[in-house]
Amino acid sequence: MASPHISELFTYLTFSTFYLLSTALALVFLYVFGSFLSFIIFYLQESIHSSHRPPVAGTVFHQLLNFSNLFDYLTNLSIKHKTFRLVKPSHSDIYTTDPANIEYFLKTNFSNYNKGRVNYDIMKDLFGDGIFAVDGEKWKHQRKLASYEFSTKVLRDFSTAVFRTKAAKLAKKIAEVAGSATGVDMQDLLMKSTMDSIFKVGFGVELETLSGTDDLGAAFSKAFDESNYMVFRRYVDIFWRAKRNFNIGLEGQLKKNLKVIDEFVFQLIQHKREQMESNVKDKMKEDILSRFVLASQKDTTMNDKYLRDIILNFLIAGKDTSANTLSWFFYMLCKNPLVQEKIVAEIKEVIEFENGGSIDGFVNRLTEEVLDRMQYLHAALAETLRLFPAVPVDGKLAEEDDELPDGFKVKKGDGVTYISYAMGRMTYLWGEDAEDFRPERWLKNGTFQPESSFKFVSFNAGPRICLGKDFAYRQMKILAATLLHFFKFKLKNESMIARYKTMFTLHMDKGLPVIPLPRFC
């Protein structure tokens, strides 16, 4: 029989636990109720005081409900309004597909529109103080260093050699299963290939994720891709900070992923420092990270954490954008076999390579001059980016009150976002066939004709325009030309309709199962 003291202690502990749980639940309820109440008040204020403001088309809760098809949801709203607002608890986000507005806040009045505190707070756990998340001196510093590197002939030649090597390696891997009914996940292979490429070009490290022998690299890549999705979801989850504090849900998993990412990247930086110290006489390396490490030796503010942030920003720019674009490119070629054959015909005409020749021999023919002559291939890649931009939405925050060219008022603290995914589908920009995949729209007398960067915003525009645009096209053309010369591609399931996974980059959900067939037997 339990003693009275033990019984009393048990009763006390039970009551205390119940009291603590009740208090915690009450606090959570008050927090949620208060958040909703403040949002309703703000929403009513924004709706009532809306003179010369973009129309309110929805709220952050509409975005949350439509998160799995968010970019199509925004496209449907854009068909009704070239410029509109979605209301959040703390501010309004203005969305636009109007090139005049986009030129205004990306270029003309660039100083009034920064990434801002809201974007920085959401992105900093993954991207830190990297170039895509910061403003001011940090952005200028990284932009200046990167701009110099991308303009050097040494880096251009080095990257081209790497792209050729990786393209040949990918083609040989596909050759092993070409014609097999099992097929391959094309997106997975492209992700691994471009990751191996950016680590070599950007960081001077030879990964083996494509060969499947680099477990650490594969774990890092998986953690990075998952984190891309989890961090982007914060834009529609008003309780993400609370979840992070309690380490629950996606925020709990994100924390684990960030640990994997940080351990891998800090080891990479340490290895790079040791490598450079052991080669004192040869410090001018070809890769980008070596240049940043050299700069850090003169600037004490560029510590390992800062280098980590730079690496992850270069990674999303160099891996995700090219791999995702190529995934959609091969998907569209499978859906449009005539376009696929037109590209193959152009490759044969330009390169004059003997059928049945070696893969290594072919990639060595892919010089800059040869690639520049592949105008139809370039147009097909641009057409892919028009419909499936690597970065489907991107935006800034207004530092001061302003007025857009279309006459709509902007308040200090408003988000201002361009929807490149929707823009590619606007008939007022591209004609009645806007949703058709038609590379010919980019050609005049067989020569590629670029569009305004404020109409075709796949590489950003203004002072923040992508420094790696030419590198991206070069890598994609080398990979595409190599694979299409040796293989014909068809979908494993001909009726497949590809969907995206909503994240910072337009990642194809559930991969791209294709069957590659050898062109030369």
Side-chain angles (χ1 to χ4, degrees), residues 151-166:
S151 66
T152 63
K153 185 176 184 300
V154 172
L155 183 62
R156 186 168 63 251
D157 292 345
F158 175 55
S159 63
T160 299
V162 171
F163 296 155
R164 288 183 192 141
T165 301
K166 301 303 181 185

Side-chain angles (χ1 to χ4, degrees), residues 366-384:
L366 295 174
T367 62
E368 193 163 346
E369 180 185 2
V370 166
L371 293 172
D372 286 344
R373 290 172 61 196
M374 294 182 183
Q375 298 287 292
Y376 192 80
L377 172 57
H378 195 98
L381 288 166
E383 182 72 345
T384 302

Side-chain angles (χ1 to χ4, degrees), residues 286-344:
E286 296 164 311
D287 65 272
I288 298 168
L289 178 57
S290 293
R291 310 277 183 141
F292 275 99
V293 170
L294 282 174
S296 73
Q297 294 172 358
K298 302 173 185 177
D299 184 350
T300 55
T301 62
M302 291 182 66
N303 54 25
D304 283 4
K305 171 63 171 63
Y306 192 43
L307 290 174
R308 172 262 189 208
D309 298 342
I310 290 171
I311 286 171
L312 293 182
N313 281 254
F314 269 105
L315 181 62
I316 196 170
K319 175 180 83 79
D320 288 37
T321 52
S322 296
N324 287 335
T325 300
L326 284 169
S327 298
W328 292 105
F329 170 78
F330 279 102
Y331 170 71
M332 294 309 292
L333 294 193
C334 291
K335 290 290 187 181
N336 298 270
L338 181 59
V339 173
Q340 184 172 170
E341 295 311 311
K342 283 185 178 181
I343 295 172
V344 171

Side-chain angles (χ1 to χ4, degrees), residues 71-72 74-75 78-79 96-99 102 382-389 391-392 418-438 441-442 454-458:
F71 310 128
D72 287 290
L74 295 174
T75 299
S78 299
I79 292 171
T96 188
T97 58
D98 187 336
I102 295 167
E383 182 72 345
T384 302
L385 281 163
R386 182 183 72 86
L387 289 170
F388 305 101
V391 180
Y418 63 87
I419 323 167
S420 47
Y421 180 89
M423 291 177 73
R425 290 159 172 76
M426 294 296 103
T427 55
Y428 83 91
L429 290 175
W430 300 98
E432 292 303 316
D433 65 348
E435 296 201 40
D436 295 342
F437 182 75
R438 193 171 65 83
R441 77 175 74 244
W442 295 90
F454 304 103
K455 173 183 175 182
F456 177 63
V457 209
S458 291

Side-chain angles (χ1 to χ4, degrees), residues 107-387:
K107 179 184 176 183
T108 309
N109 199 12
F110 175 79
S111 61
N112 189 50
Y113 296 90
N114 292 322
K115 297 303 288 187
R117 191 74 208 179
V118 172
N119 286 313
Y120 179 73
D121 286 347
I122 286 174
M123 298 172 68
K124 69 179 179 181
D125 286 337
L126 181 58
F127 298 112
D129 288 330
I131 194 169
F132 295 129
V134 295
D135 299 303
E137 291 306 313
K138 287 181 179 178
W139 172 74
K140 290 178 182 177
H141 177 245
Q142 291 177 53
R143 180 84 182 183
K144 183 178 179 180
L145 281 174
S147 179
Y148 171 76
E149 296 311 324
F150 277 103
S151 66
T152 63
K153 185 176 184 300
V154 172
L155 183 62
R156 186 168 63 251
D157 292 345
F158 175 55
S159 63
T160 299
V162 171
F163 296 155
R164 288 183 192 141
T165 301
K166 301 303 181 185
K169 189 172 183 179
L170 177 56
K172 291 172 186 176
K173 189 170 184 67
I174 291 175
E176 295 173 2
V177 295
S180 167
T182 56
V184 295
D185 181 350
M186 198 64 186
Q187 179 172 245
D188 180 61
L189 293 179
L190 289 167
M191 277 288 183
K192 289 174 179 175
S193 179
T194 55
M195 179 161 168
D196 288 352
S197 292
I198 189 59
F199 264 78
K200 185 64 176 177
V201 173
F203 318 133
V205 173
E206 195 73 64
L207 288 188
E208 293 292 342
T209 54
L210 181 62
S211 65
T213 59
D214 193 332
D215 293 339
L216 288 176
F220 164 79
S221 181
K222 181 175 182 292
F224 184 77
D225 290 343
E226 289 178 353
S227 300
N228 182 328
Y229 166 80
M230 292 168 181
V231 172
F232 189 78
R233 191 176 172 84
R234 287 176 171 180
Y235 280 101
V236 300
D237 184 356
I238 65 173
F239 301 117
W240 70 265
R241 287 183 179 83
K243 292 177 181 178
R244 184 178 63 177
N245 291 337
F246 286 106
N247 198 32
I248 58 175
L250 289 180
E251 292 295 324
Q253 183 58 47
L254 175 62
K255 188 175 181 179
K256 294 177 183 177
N257 285 347
L258 291 172
K259 184 178 180 181
V260 173
I261 291 168
D262 289 350
E263 287 178 355
F264 186 85
V265 174
F266 285 130
Q267 285 180 15
L268 167 64
I269 294 169
Q270 182 60 31
H271 174 71
K272 176 58 64 177
R273 289 193 185 280
E274 292 171 356
Q275 185 184 57
M276 294 181 68
E277 287 172 5
S278 64
N279 293 281
V280 178
K281 294 181 182 179
D282 187 28
K283 280 195 173 182
M284 292 305 290
K285 299 292 182 182
E286 296 164 311
D287 65 272
I288 298 168
L289 178 57
S290 293
R291 310 277 183 141
F292 275 99
V293 170
L294 282 174
S296 73
Q297 294 172 358
K298 302 173 185 177
D299 184 350
T300 55
T301 62
M302 291 182 66
N303 54 25
D304 283 4
K305 171 63 171 63
Y306 192 43
L307 290 174
R308 172 262 189 208
D309 298 342
I310 290 171
I311 286 171
L312 293 182
N313 281 254
F314 269 105
L315 181 62
I316 196 170
K319 175 180 83 79
D320 288 37
T321 52
S322 296
N324 287 335
T325 300
L326 284 169
S327 298
W328 292 105
F329 170 78
F330 279 102
Y331 170 71
M332 294 309 292
L333 294 193
C334 291
K335 290 290 187 181
N336 298 270
L338 181 59
V339 173
Q340 184 172 170
E341 295 311 311
K342 283 185 178 181
I343 295 172
V344 171
E346 179 185 66
I347 294 168
K348 287 181 179 179
E349 180 184 347
V350 168
I351 204 165
E352 297 178 356
F353 188 73
E354 183 180 343
N355 288 351
S358 72
I359 292 173
D360 290 326
F362 179 85
V363 297
N364 287 335
R365 294 281 195 95
L366 295 174
T367 62
E368 193 163 346
E369 180 185 2
V370 166
L371 293 172
D372 286 344
R373 290 172 61 196
M374 294 182 183
Q375 298 287 292
Y376 192 80
L377 172 57
H378 195 98
L381 288 166
E383 182 72 345
T384 302
L385 281 163
R386 182 183 72 86
L387 289 170

Side-chain angles (χ1 to χ4, degrees), residues 63 84-88 91-95 235 396-397 413-417:
Q63 290 177 288
F84 60 88
R85 272 185 301 157
L86 296 175
V87 181
K88 290 187 171 181
H91 67 281
S92 281
D93 277 335
I94 296 173
Y95 290 84
Y235 280 101
K396 308 287 193 69
L397 260 73
D414 278 346
V416 184
T417 299

